[in-house]
Amino acid sequence: NQSINLATNTTGTLGVANGGTGLTSGTTDQFLKFTGSTTVASAAVSAGITMAQQWRLTTSFTGSAQPITSNLEADDTYSPGTLGSGMSVSSGVFTFPSTGIYFIQAQGEFYYSGDSRYNQLIIEVTTDNGTYNEAAKSTGGIAQSQSSSTHANSSSFYIFDVTNVSTHKVRFTSSVGVSGTSNYGDTNRNFTCMTFIRLGDT
């Protein structure tokens, strides 16, 4: 029997059919994958979720707002679990840090001393940096008249394909059934709040 020292007595590229990869070099942070029955190629590793952040309303206000433009802050209390580059906001319009598929949740907390049968925190998105459409909303009704305030909440969800960070943006509108209804905000806790999670590449 004869043997070949593969470390010193071979040159060139060993083909896939003979047990090799067909590649002469690799790329940093990539892996080998089969693209067919015999072909091996280098491919990028999926990074998974690379961005997650929560924002909130810091101070309560009364009535509706389209959109909510002030008293918004990123969660900064009790060791918040922010991941990656965060969102930015200007006049209530949120800009994404990078393109990708994003999960968005909006939670509205409302209170009133009488009946306010629909109260909504609405997710509005634009794909042209100008025209906004209602992407998701739900209703939290207050239907209990008392001398003290009664609370209700609404929670909406949307998965947004952000193909361009200059044109694809999101804002949040509050719509209440009675003008005296308050939107509950707190600088230390998430009552009226927004969650952003980048799920993967667009």
Side-chain angles (χ1 to χ4, degrees):
N1 294 331
Q2 294 182 338
S3 62
I4 298 175
N5 186 330
L6 296 177
T8 59
N9 295 326
T10 58
T11 59
T13 302
L14 184 60
V16 175
N18 296 319
T21 65
L23 301 175
T24 58
S25 64
T27 302
T28 301
D29 295 328
Q30 293 195 346
F31 67 97
L32 297 178
K33 72 171 184 178
F34 284 96
T35 59
S37 58
T38 60
T39 304
V40 176
S42 179
V45 177
S46 175
I49 293 175
T50 57
M51 181 272 183
Q53 189 182 40
Q54 287 190 303
W55 285 67
R56 63 185 168 216
L57 180 68
T58 62
T59 304
S60 299
F61 69 89
T62 301
S64 300
Q66 187 182 27
I68 299 173
T69 59
S70 60
N71 299 318
L72 296 166
E73 71 169 6
D75 186 353
D76 58 0
T77 312
Y78 311 126
S79 187
T82 300
L83 179 65
S85 298
M87 303 289 291
S88 59
V89 64
S90 177
S91 300
V93 175
F94 285 82
T95 298
F96 296 88
S98 63
T99 60
I101 306 294
Y102 285 83
F103 170 80
I104 305 168
Q105 178 184 7
Q107 175 178 296
E109 181 82 10
F110 307 94
Y111 63 94
Y112 187 57
S113 59
D115 291 350
S116 183
R117 295 182 180 275
Y118 72 87
N119 306 286
Q120 303 166 326
L121 185 61
I122 304 167
I123 299 173
E124 296 182 335
V125 298
T126 179
T127 57
D128 62 8
N129 195 29
T131 304
Y132 283 86
N133 296 288
E134 292 185 355
K137 65 180 179 180
S138 66
T139 300
I142 300 172
Q144 186 175 8
S145 297
Q146 296 183 1
S147 59
S148 59
S149 295
T150 301
H151 285 246
N153 63 70
S154 70
S155 189
S156 301
F157 310 86
Y158 192 64
I159 295 178
F160 191 28
D161 185 2
V162 180
T163 58
N164 186 324
V165 297
S166 297
T167 58
H168 290 54
K169 300 182 181 184
V170 63
R171 68 185 190 183
F172 301 92
T173 284
S174 170
S175 178
V176 298
V178 176
S179 59
T181 303
S182 293
N183 300 255
Y184 194 13
D186 191 296
T187 190
N188 293 315
R189 292 173 291 176
N190 293 348
F191 286 100
T192 297
C193 59
M194 308 84 177
T195 300
F196 306 90
I197 301 174
R198 186 182 185 278
L199 301 176
D201 295 337
T202 180

